[in-house]
Amino acid sequence: MGLLKKISRFLLIAVFLLAGAVLVYTTTAFYYDDVAALKKKNPGKTSFMTHREFEWEFKGLKNKKIHQVWVPLSKISPYAAKAVLIAEDDKFWSHEGFDLEAMQKAIEKDIKLGKLKYGGSTISQQLAKNLFLSPSKNPLRKVKEAILTWRIENNLSKRRILEIYLNVAEWGDGIFGIEAASRHYYGKSAAELTPMEAARLAVVLPNPLKYNPTGTSKYVEKRAEIVYGIMVRRGVVIEEYEDIMKAPPDGPLPDTGAPRPPGQTSGTVDTAEKKDGVPEKPEGASSEKKQPPPSPSAERAEKDVEPSQPAPSQGK
């Protein structure tokens, strides 16, 4: 009996110590990270970025580095913002950080699979994880994530949350933020992304190290078509307008300042180009042969005759 009491006492102490450690770990989320400062200050290197650097160092990949270019929300294509919200958090503007329905569906899927795979996380939850935590899916991290999410929602506006998320989200190996992703995959700024490019970038967010937005993955193609279709149905994308904007220009070509061929101005061919092999007369030249000055008698005669119509000008 004495031995049993000692074992029970030992287990009880261990439980209390574990509970205390859990309490300390989770409560640090209330004060350790200064969420309120993000109202006016952009975050520096995030916890996710640091985690990737540790992975590279462990694997001996010394030449790898983080690529990120911060841009304000006004410099990001509206298509990109809409596509990300549709793909990742369609109730972003209405919830307070947690989408209970999505979390319930994710839990049901996890139970069927027998492992933690589907998170059902909102943009705010993902931002909390990216800024302050690691990719780990252990239950303690989820508790801390929930506390940080609550703080983010209570300190930052929805617009600011979306702006920060689009600038720190992982979009590939060492690629963080929509601007770096847009330049890497499409060779253009985030402001210039087309609806389909935005859709393809959005659908790889759940696993950016596995999927490439410009690749031929059936998953990416199918999901991007779904997101694009939703944008069309909601009026975010007007296909007729997109078709017009993709068509080649049919007006005058822009004036680049380069030398032009004879008879061509401002990108178009002059209407007074040579006809039947006869070259165009220089500007200002008369179409008639130069006549000698009239005599005084001829001048007096002309006063009694109606003037003839002037010859049409040339080259204009």
Side-chain angles (χ1 to χ4, degrees), residues 10-278:
F10 174 79
L11 291 175
L12 186 61
I13 293 172
V15 169
F16 275 114
L17 289 174
L18 180 61
V22 170
L23 185 62
V24 170
Y25 174 79
T26 54
T27 53
T28 56
F30 284 105
Y31 61 87
Y32 182 73
D33 303 298
D34 192 1
V35 175
L38 296 174
K39 288 181 181 179
K40 298 181 179 180
K41 181 182 178 182
N42 295 334
K45 185 181 293 184
T46 67
S47 178
F48 241 59
M49 294 177 189
T50 303
H51 178 80
R52 293 303 181 208
E53 287 179 333
F54 282 149
E55 285 186 335
W56 297 337
E57 185 178 355
F58 180 77
K59 296 176 181 178
L61 303 173
K62 298 180 180 180
N63 295 327
K64 284 190 148 317
K65 61 180 181 178
I66 300 295
H67 296 279
Q68 184 200 28
V69 181
W70 187 279
V71 287
L73 191 59
S74 59
K75 298 294 184 182
I76 298 174
S77 166
Y79 298 131
K82 293 285 188 180
V84 168
L85 290 177
I86 291 170
E88 290 293 291
D89 188 1
D90 207 20
K91 298 177 182 177
F92 174 74
W93 300 109
S94 59
H95 66 62
E96 296 181 357
F98 305 93
D99 186 347
L100 300 180
E101 184 180 350
M103 291 171 68
Q104 180 182 349
K105 291 179 180 179
I107 292 171
E108 292 173 356
K109 290 180 180 179
D110 288 341
I111 292 173
K112 289 180 181 179
L113 292 173
K115 60 181 179 179
L116 293 173
K117 182 178 180 181
Y118 298 95
S121 298
T122 63
I123 293 289
S124 303
Q125 287 176 281
Q126 293 181 48
L127 180 59
K129 178 180 67 175
N130 289 344
L131 288 175
F132 307 117
L133 305 172
S134 70
S136 169
K137 292 186 177 181
N138 69 74
L140 289 181
R141 196 224 71 184
K142 295 295 288 185
V143 173
K144 195 170 184 178
E145 177 189 295
I147 296 170
L148 288 166
T149 300
W150 175 80
R151 290 185 62 199
I152 286 172
E153 283 280 337
N154 281 273
N155 283 277
L156 306 178
S157 67
K158 287 287 189 178
R159 177 184 173 86
R160 180 60 171 160
I161 291 171
L162 181 59
E163 180 179 60
I164 297 175
Y165 176 79
L166 290 173
N167 275 284
V168 302
E170 187 176 34
W171 252 292
D173 193 16
I175 303 168
F176 288 84
I178 187 75
E179 181 70 16
S182 182
R183 294 184 187 184
H184 177 78
Y185 294 113
Y186 296 109
K188 62 174 70 173
S189 71
E192 301 173 296
L193 288 170
T194 66
M196 182 51 75
E197 290 168 347
R200 292 181 74 92
L201 280 170
V203 300
V204 303
L205 280 169
N207 198 338
L209 299 183
K210 179 179 179 181
Y211 297 113
N212 185 324
T214 60
T216 57
S217 164
K218 294 296 182 183
Y219 167 85
V220 173
E221 291 179 354
K222 183 178 179 180
R223 290 282 296 168
E225 288 291 344
I226 292 173
V227 170
Y228 180 85
I230 293 173
M231 289 198 289
V232 171
R233 289 197 298 274
R234 293 181 180 178
V236 176
V237 176
I238 302 174
E239 290 189 307
E240 292 82 359
Y241 172 79
E242 296 300 321
D243 290 340
I244 291 172
M245 296 307 292
K246 290 177 184 177
D250 54 3
L253 298 175
D255 189 353
T256 61
R260 305 185 186 94
Q264 184 171 342
T265 64
S266 63
T268 57
V269 179
D270 262 344
T271 56
E273 255 184 335
K274 60 182 182 179
K275 298 179 180 179
D276 299 328
V278 180

